[in-house]
């Protein structure tokens, strides 16, 4: 084990490298914006269209609905708008926009800005929200100002965070939403937890997990209040978009997930079970879809029973189970891309705090493994990105493999940890 002096040196170096790496990475985004290559550019002669074009287009189409009837899920309408936004780069294939009606309405304010300005506003707002929720949630365990600064810097410097902001993805909003959800879950705040889960319908693939865990915590009241918020959101979306667009969403969503002719789905790049199966079998076939959906529901159901049996006063076991849950959500969800691994910082921080406590029954090896896994993710995420082509040749989805292995290890610790008085005192966060 490191001495106190060496630990201090380690954290100074860790913070310094992460800070300057993040500075350079985000400066690159500024350079791309200056060169008009942030949202659409050619790589190896082929057009690359950023996801933010789709999200910004959602806001534009939603705003059009306020003045005239607009079919927001109509292919030609989406293609026409996309072509205007990406000019002079011409898309190679249609970029389907199957975003949920909630997403269309939520992104409507962005349509009042230009494409570049909207991206900057979205990035600043969501990053500020993420940092704010992070500091508010971990205000007790991160008491020292340097600990807070290091946590914020590590979160910002990871590849998943950078990539989410680079794409202007809704994953940027996913992090503060999921972190808030678990905080309210732990505090027993039924209304706030249901509200966060309902907002999570912007990422529909994670809804089964949030609904299952909330029901385990609060019983039938949770799905009832969740449904109430859902009806409210449905009413707002209908008032803005029109009922015809609401009814068109299911077909648009299913068509997008099942089609191989539409840019943006890229199942071969998904960092989840589905992505693994596509690389192994060589096809995003119906059996792959059915198996992925079945595993998603099976994991959601299993999490219900695990959370149902949890002693909610046991802080250590709560944080272990929350960590495993986030990792399993990422691996078993039917639609998980690299940017969604912005959520991985939640288990990284929770597990490091668990390993750093002296009043737990973890042995030295377990603590060391948890600390290395947690601290290394910031840099490991970039290494996995740079070596992605090699993993692809080996038919491995690196982020999914990392999450799956860590989830299994954390679950082993969860079942190994007894509900002892020592455990109840551990990790207040």
């Amino acid at each position: 084990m490191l001495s106190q002096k060496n630990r201090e040196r380690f954290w100074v170096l860790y913070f310094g490298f992460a800070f300057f790496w993040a500075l350079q990475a985000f400066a690159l985004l500024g350079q791309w914006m200056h060169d008009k290559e942030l949202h659409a550019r050619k790589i190896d002669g082929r057009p690359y269209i950023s996801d933010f074009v789709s999200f910004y287009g959602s806001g534009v189409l939603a705003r059009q609905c306020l003045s005239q009837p607009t079919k927001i899920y109509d292919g030609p309408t989406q293609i026409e708008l996309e072509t205007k936004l990406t000019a002079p780069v011409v898309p190679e294939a249609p970029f389907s926009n199957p975003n949920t009606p909630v997403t269309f309405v939520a992104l409507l304010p962005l349509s009042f800005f230009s494409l570049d300005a909207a991206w900057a506003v979205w990035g600043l707002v969501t990053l500020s929200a993420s940092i704010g929720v992070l500091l508010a949630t971990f205000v007790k365990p991160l008491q020292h100002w340097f600990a807070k600064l290091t946590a914020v810097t590590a979160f910002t410097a990871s590849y998943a965070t950078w990539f989410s902001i680079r794409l202007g993805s809704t994953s940027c909003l996913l992090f503060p939403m999921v972190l808030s959800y678990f905080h309210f879950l732990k505090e027993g705040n039924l209304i706030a937890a249901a509200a966060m889960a309902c907002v999570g319908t912007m990422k529909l693939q994670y809804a089964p997990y949030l609904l299952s865990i909330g029901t385990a915590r609060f019983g039938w009241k949770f799905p009832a209040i969740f449904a109430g918020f859902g009806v409210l959101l449905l009413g707002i979306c209908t008032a803005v978009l029109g009922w015809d667009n609401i009814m068109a969403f299911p077909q648009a969503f299913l068509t997008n997930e099942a089609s191989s002719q539409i840019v943006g789905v890229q199942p071969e790049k998904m960092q989840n079970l589905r992505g693994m199966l596509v690389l192994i079998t060589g096809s995003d076939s119906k059996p792959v879809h059915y198996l992925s959906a079945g595993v998603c529901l099976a994991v959601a159901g299993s999490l219900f029973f695990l959370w149902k049996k949890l002693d909610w006063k046991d802080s250590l076991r709560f944080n272990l189970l929350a960590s495993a849950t986030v990792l399993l959500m990422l691996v078993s969800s039917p639609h998980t891309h690299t940017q969604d691994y912005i959520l991985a910082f939640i288990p990284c921080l929770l597990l490091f705090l668990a390993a750093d406590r002296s009043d737990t029954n973890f042995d030295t090896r377990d603590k060391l493994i948890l600390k290395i896994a947690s601290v290394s993710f910031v840099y490991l995420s970039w290494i996995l990105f740079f070596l992605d082509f090699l993993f692809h040749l080996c038919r491995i989805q690196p982020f999914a493999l990392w999450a799956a292995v860590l989830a299994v290890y954390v679950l082993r610790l969860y079942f190994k940890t007894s509900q002892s008085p020592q455990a109840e005192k551990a990790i207040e966060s």
Side-chain angles (χ1 to χ4, degrees):
M1 300 297 289
L2 295 176
S3 65
Q4 179 64 28
K5 194 65 176 180
N6 285 334
R7 281 200 296 268
E8 292 175 357
R9 290 170 178 166
F10 168 81
W11 285 115
V12 170
L13 290 173
Y14 181 87
F15 164 77
F17 193 86
F19 176 82
F20 287 106
W21 184 272
L23 199 63
Q24 292 294 321
F26 282 97
L28 178 62
L29 297 183
Q31 183 63 49
W32 285 346
M33 178 183 285
H34 178 269
D35 296 340
K36 305 298 181 183
E37 294 183 342
L38 181 62
H39 309 296
R41 61 194 181 112
K42 287 190 175 182
I43 302 177
D44 297 329
R46 299 185 64 180
Y48 173 84
I49 309 299
S50 172
D51 289 3
F52 189 69
V53 172
S54 169
F55 298 126
Y56 179 75
S58 298
V60 172
L61 292 175
R63 186 180 175 188
Q64 288 182 9
C65 291
L66 296 177
S67 57
Q68 62 184 30
T70 303
K71 295 181 179 180
I72 61 175
Y73 294 112
D74 178 61
T77 300
Q78 292 186 355
I79 293 172
E80 181 182 0
L81 176 59
E82 176 189 353
T83 303
K84 290 180 180 179
L85 294 174
T86 60
V89 177
V90 180
E92 190 174 52
F95 194 110
S96 174
N97 184 350
N99 293 327
T100 64
V102 174
T103 305
F104 275 85
V105 174
L107 298 179
L108 189 153
L110 295 181
S111 66
F112 290 95
F113 301 91
S114 66
L115 182 62
D116 284 345
W119 173 83
V121 168
W122 178 252
L124 287 172
V125 169
T126 53
L127 184 59
S128 298
S130 295
I131 293 174
V133 172
L134 177 64
L135 293 177
T137 304
F138 293 98
V139 64
K140 290 183 178 180
L142 300 177
Q143 294 181 356
H144 196 277
W145 66 269
F146 186 72
K148 292 182 174 66
L149 187 61
T150 302
V152 169
T153 302
F155 168 73
T156 308
S158 77
Y159 173 73
T161 301
W162 177 87
F163 194 49
S164 294
I165 294 175
R166 183 259 180 276
L167 295 178
S169 172
T170 50
S171 298
C172 296
L173 193 62
L174 186 64
F175 178 83
M177 185 276 296
V178 171
L179 184 54
S180 297
Y181 171 80
F182 278 106
H183 173 72
F184 293 133
L185 204 69
K186 183 178 181 181
E187 297 296 318
N189 192 327
L190 169 61
I191 303 297
M196 288 297 102
C198 200
V199 172
T201 56
M202 290 182 68
K203 284 280 194 177
L204 201 58
Q205 62 268 38
Y206 300 114
Y209 308 98
L210 303 182
L211 188 58
S212 174
I213 299 167
T215 304
R217 175 68 167 101
F218 300 107
W220 64 268
K221 293 181 180 179
F222 185 84
I225 295 178
F226 176 89
F229 279 119
V231 171
L232 177 61
L233 285 180
L234 179 62
I236 295 172
C237 292
T238 302
V240 175
L241 305 175
W243 184 247
D244 289 343
N245 283 323
I246 303 298
M247 294 299 293
F249 166 68
Q251 183 61 40
F253 177 80
L254 293 175
T255 300
N256 179 81
E257 286 297 312
S259 176
S260 60
Q261 304 301 316
I262 295 175
V263 175
V265 179
Q266 298 180 305
E268 72 281 359
K269 293 185 177 181
M270 289 185 182
Q271 297 296 321
N272 57 3
L273 174 64
R274 179 182 174 185
M276 295 178 186
L277 293 174
V278 169
L279 287 186
I280 293 172
T281 64
S283 174
D284 188 35
S285 60
K286 285 187 176 180
V288 169
H289 293 174
Y290 294 147
L291 180 58
S292 299
V295 170
C296 169
L297 296 178
V299 170
S302 300
L303 288 174
F304 170 84
F305 291 105
L306 287 176
W307 283 97
K308 187 69 175 178
K309 296 179 179 180
L310 178 71
D311 178 0
W312 293 88
K313 295 180 180 180
D314 191 332
S315 298
L316 174 61
R317 288 170 64 82
F318 175 91
N319 287 318
L320 288 175
L321 188 53
S323 298
T325 296
V326 172
L327 295 168
L328 290 173
M329 283 170 54
L330 292 169
V331 174
S332 65
S333 162
H335 192 116
T336 302
H337 280 291
T338 306
Q339 59 267 27
D340 293 335
Y341 276 77
I342 190 174
L343 290 179
F345 193 75
I346 296 175
C348 284
L349 188 50
L350 288 176
L351 294 176
F352 179 84
L353 293 173
D356 201 43
R357 293 295 295 254
S358 59
D359 52 354
T360 66
N361 60 358
F362 294 155
D363 57 35
T364 302
R365 187 193 66 173
D366 288 333
K367 289 185 176 184
L368 182 60
I369 290 175
L370 290 181
K371 286 184 178 182
I372 291 175
S374 302
V375 171
S376 65
F377 178 74
V378 175
Y379 306 112
L380 179 65
S381 62
W382 286 95
I383 295 173
L384 296 182
F385 160 65
F386 288 129
L387 298 181
D388 180 67
F389 69 99
L390 289 179
F391 287 110
H392 193 81
L393 291 175
C394 298
R395 301 180 183 273
I396 295 173
Q397 301 291 8
F399 285 89
L401 180 62
W402 173 85
V405 171
L406 185 56
V408 171
Y409 191 83
V410 173
L411 283 176
R412 184 188 73 84
L413 290 180
Y414 174 77
F415 290 115
K416 175 183 176 182
T417 304
S418 61
Q419 297 184 24
S420 63
Q422 285 185 324
E424 293 181 8
K425 298 177 182 178
I427 319 172
E428 296 180 3
S429 62

